[in-house]
Amino acid sequence: MTLDGLNMQNPILLALIATLGTWGLTALGAALVFFFKEINQRVLNTMLGFAAGVMIAASFWSLLAPAIEMAEGRTLPAWLIAAIGFVAGAGFLWSADKIIPHMHLNATRGQAEGVPTRWRRSILLVLSITLHNIPEGLAVGVAFGAAASSGDTATLASAIVVAVGIGIQNFPEGAAVSIPLRREGLSRTKSFMYGQASGIVEPIAGVIGAALVVSMQSILPYALAFAAGAMIFVVVEELIPEAQSGDKGSADLATVGCIIGFTVMMVLDVALG
């Protein structure tokens, strides 16, 4: 595997291909609605916990650690650059969370967040997942941009690992959207379309992330840390609370799912990246 001859367009194309793949896995998970109408709460919580574990591990090994390494030798201390990017990423998602109308999986109609709206519950549920797919797509795009900037095959392998990890956890997320929508009375086709649509933002965010770091390489460590902060915000704000809902057994399984997801992503990143 080599990056010889990699030009400005290639990492953007690679990021697009990778995020189309993660979107495809979201659609594959959403397609489970054609086979199931119900999803056991314990299974759902385990899947959400798994997704949280993957995102936590990816945030450190694939984003924060490389950001600190790339920031070495700059005017500002490396830890400060990483901290600035991390807080900015969390702040960006916090702002989006306050503005974009959305609803968490276990929320009732009166618990919708963002600006007031009369949109249907199904749309608000999809927007909730779409909101946290933004940093996932951004993470993949920034990772491929970092590979182009460094010219290092290890960095390219790490970017591929990020895409694989995000894709793995997108599969249960697709099901976590489509099957509850089916339970609420939508047709299987509509439930699938809404479920896969929640991942469409990832290719958009991926291309933007790759284009920014390739065109402005000085922001690369900030961008990596930014994506990490946004992902951790999603984990703490949405995934863990939703995964911990339900009875004690469901919460325990969510914790186990988180540990497994973290371990899978850690092994992928350390062993392959």
Side-chain angles (χ1 to χ4, degrees):
M1 186 181 296
T2 178
L3 291 179
D4 291 343
L6 190 64
N7 59 32
M8 185 174 177
Q9 285 73 36
N10 286 335
I12 298 173
L13 178 60
L14 289 173
L16 175 62
I17 293 171
T19 47
L20 285 174
T22 60
W23 176 23
L25 284 168
T26 301
L28 194 61
L32 291 179
V33 75
F34 292 109
F35 306 96
F36 305 100
K37 184 176 181 179
E38 300 283 341
I39 182 169
N40 183 276
Q41 186 65 41
R42 293 190 173 191
V43 173
L44 176 60
N45 286 4
T46 303
M47 292 192 302
L48 291 173
F50 179 88
V54 168
M55 291 179 70
I56 293 171
S59 295
F60 176 73
W61 271 282
S62 300
L63 299 171
L64 266 182
I68 294 172
E69 182 179 347
M70 292 177 183
E72 294 289 348
R74 299 201 178 199
T75 304
L76 294 177
W79 60 265
L80 181 57
I81 290 175
I84 291 171
F86 188 85
V87 172
F92 170 77
L93 257 291
W94 180 85
S95 300
D97 190 68
K98 299 301 180 185
I99 297 171
I100 299 175
H102 65 284
M103 182 183 295
H104 301 309
L105 292 174
N106 297 310
T108 61
R109 178 68 194 187
Q111 295 176 314
E113 299 181 15
V115 297
T117 180
R118 294 184 179 181
W119 291 348
R120 291 179 299 174
R121 174 180 165 85
S122 56
I123 299 296
L124 295 174
L125 286 172
V126 173
L127 285 175
S128 177
I129 303 297
T130 301
L131 182 62
H132 82 234
N133 278 340
I134 293 174
E136 294 175 10
L138 186 63
V140 175
V142 169
F144 277 102
S149 299
S150 68
D152 183 6
T153 56
T155 309
L156 177 58
S158 181
I160 294 171
V161 167
V162 173
V164 170
I166 296 298
I168 289 173
Q169 63 96 33
N170 274 0
F171 179 81
E173 279 188 358
V177 177
S178 65
I179 294 178
L181 290 178
R182 173 59 177 161
R183 187 172 61 241
E184 292 188 8
L186 272 69
S187 68
R188 294 184 188 275
T189 300
K190 282 189 176 181
S191 298
F192 166 75
M193 293 303 295
Y194 281 135
Q196 63 82 30
S198 67
I200 196 171
V201 71
E202 288 191 4
I204 299 171
V207 167
I208 292 173
L212 282 175
V213 298
V214 168
S215 60
M216 296 180 287
Q217 294 187 17
S218 61
I219 71 168
L220 181 53
Y222 293 97
L224 287 166
F226 181 97
M231 287 177 68
I232 292 297
F233 179 90
V234 167
V235 170
V236 177
E237 170 73 11
E238 296 187 24
L239 289 181
I240 290 179
E242 290 173 7
Q244 291 290 322
S245 64
D247 57 32
K248 181 63 165 60
S250 293
D252 289 343
L253 287 173
T255 301
V256 172
C258 184
I259 296 298
I260 293 173
F262 185 95
T263 303
V264 168
M265 188 63 199
M266 176 182 66
V267 169
L268 283 173
D269 204 300
V270 177
L272 302 180

